[in-house]
Amino acid sequence: MDSENERIGTFLRICTQLVDGKFLVAENKVSEALAAIAASRRLTELFTAVAQDFDYPTAKKAYLRAPARDGWNRGRAYLPVERSEILAFVFCLFVEIDAGSISLNDFLLKYFYVDGSYTASYMVFAERVVKPFRDIVCDCFPEAAKGGRTGADPQGERIAGIAALLPAEKARVEKMNLREEERAAAELIFSGLMSAAEKKDVGLLSGQLAGYRYFLHYIGGESESSAAVFRLAGEL
């Protein structure tokens, strides 16, 4: 296993320790997970790409719901639907927990309350939030994944990585000041890209990405997130 896969494996093991571990060490493990991201070029590229245009303050209002009635201090927490937004949302939560902007104790009892117990509330949080987050990263990097995921598939890893980045990339392009015909072309391109990624058709996906590269050059829309997509494409 190369050093980059080892770094990703370290991150995934820390996430598994968060899922299976104890509440008392959770904050330390969150800090370790963020340090593992910073130590890995590929993880850094992934989270930079998904978080680049992610509106975290708006997402918090949408997915961390306030108590239903006055005097009731228990809200409800949800995850976004898009896989890339789940990565961005949980990553931002980790950053706030690590910085102390969110008190994990208060957060757990407000959004994952179970009988006033930090331990029981943390178990719900780990299952509903951390586990899906970890599993999406596993799907992006199956070659580095551990624990019941066997059979290296480097090509499948790269396709999964591209697929995870596409929703955020699509949202980024949609925010640009495009002409109507350019906006229509972008819609067709992303539809084709997502279809090719879903089918795991390398030839079709490579062709679609070549067209997307030309389209970005034409509209002057290159960015760090698109560069991350093309770096993965270059390894197909």
Side-chain angles (χ1 to χ4, degrees):
M1 180 180 291
D2 63 35
S3 59
E4 190 58 27
N5 275 341
E6 288 173 357
R7 294 185 188 103
I8 296 170
T10 296
F11 169 76
L12 293 173
R13 285 191 293 276
I14 293 168
C15 287
T16 296
Q17 290 164 4
L18 272 166
V19 172
D20 299 333
K22 298 179 180 179
F23 159 72
L24 291 176
V25 298
E27 288 183 334
N28 287 338
K29 290 299 175 184
V30 166
S31 298
E32 289 179 20
L34 293 175
I37 291 172
S40 165
R41 173 183 59 81
R42 297 180 74 184
L43 286 174
T44 299
E45 289 178 347
L46 174 66
F47 286 103
T48 298
V50 298
Q52 184 176 33
D53 293 310
F54 182 68
D55 188 345
Y56 179 56
T58 299
K60 283 179 72 175
K61 292 177 182 178
Y63 303 118
L64 300 180
R65 303 287 178 84
R69 61 179 185 270
D70 292 341
W72 187 254
N73 64 352
R74 300 174 200 164
R76 295 183 65 85
Y78 304 88
L79 284 181
V81 175
E82 293 286 355
R83 288 158 62 88
S84 63
E85 291 190 355
I86 292 174
L87 292 180
F89 183 63
V90 179
F91 171 74
C92 291
L93 278 178
F94 278 12
V95 170
E96 285 208 298
I97 291 169
D98 182 54
S101 303
I102 287 178
S103 163
L104 183 59
N105 293 17
D106 295 344
F107 181 77
L108 292 174
L109 293 189
K110 184 171 184 178
Y111 297 108
F112 301 92
Y113 183 90
V114 179
D115 297 331
S117 165
Y118 290 123
T119 298
S121 300
Y122 175 75
M123 290 174 64
V124 176
F125 166 72
E127 180 68 24
R128 293 183 183 175
V129 176
V130 183
K131 186 176 179 181
F133 172 77
R134 179 204 62 187
D135 289 349
I136 293 170
V137 179
C138 280
D139 289 343
C140 292
F141 304 104
E143 197 175 359
K146 301 290 184 180
R149 296 172 186 267
T150 59
D153 179 14
Q155 195 170 80
E157 171 190 334
R158 286 154 193 147
I159 292 174
I162 291 169
L165 295 175
L166 286 176
E169 183 68 1
K170 182 174 184 287
R172 181 184 72 83
V173 171
E174 287 176 344
K175 292 178 181 177
M176 296 176 65
N177 185 23
L178 301 178
R179 294 178 296 180
E180 191 61 36
E181 60 269 26
E182 292 169 343
R183 196 168 297 280
E187 188 66 33
L188 287 173
I189 289 170
F190 279 108
S191 177
L193 284 169
M194 292 173 180
S195 176
E198 184 178 347
K199 294 174 182 176
K200 298 183 179 180
D201 187 324
V202 175
L204 181 59
L205 181 58
S206 296
Q208 293 282 350
L209 285 168
Y212 182 51
R213 186 191 293 272
Y214 176 82
F215 176 75
L216 283 179
H217 180 71
Y218 175 75
I219 64 172
E222 295 94 339
S223 72
E224 281 299 317
S225 59
S226 63
V229 172
F230 294 127
R231 274 192 289 271
L232 285 173
E235 299 173 5
L236 287 175

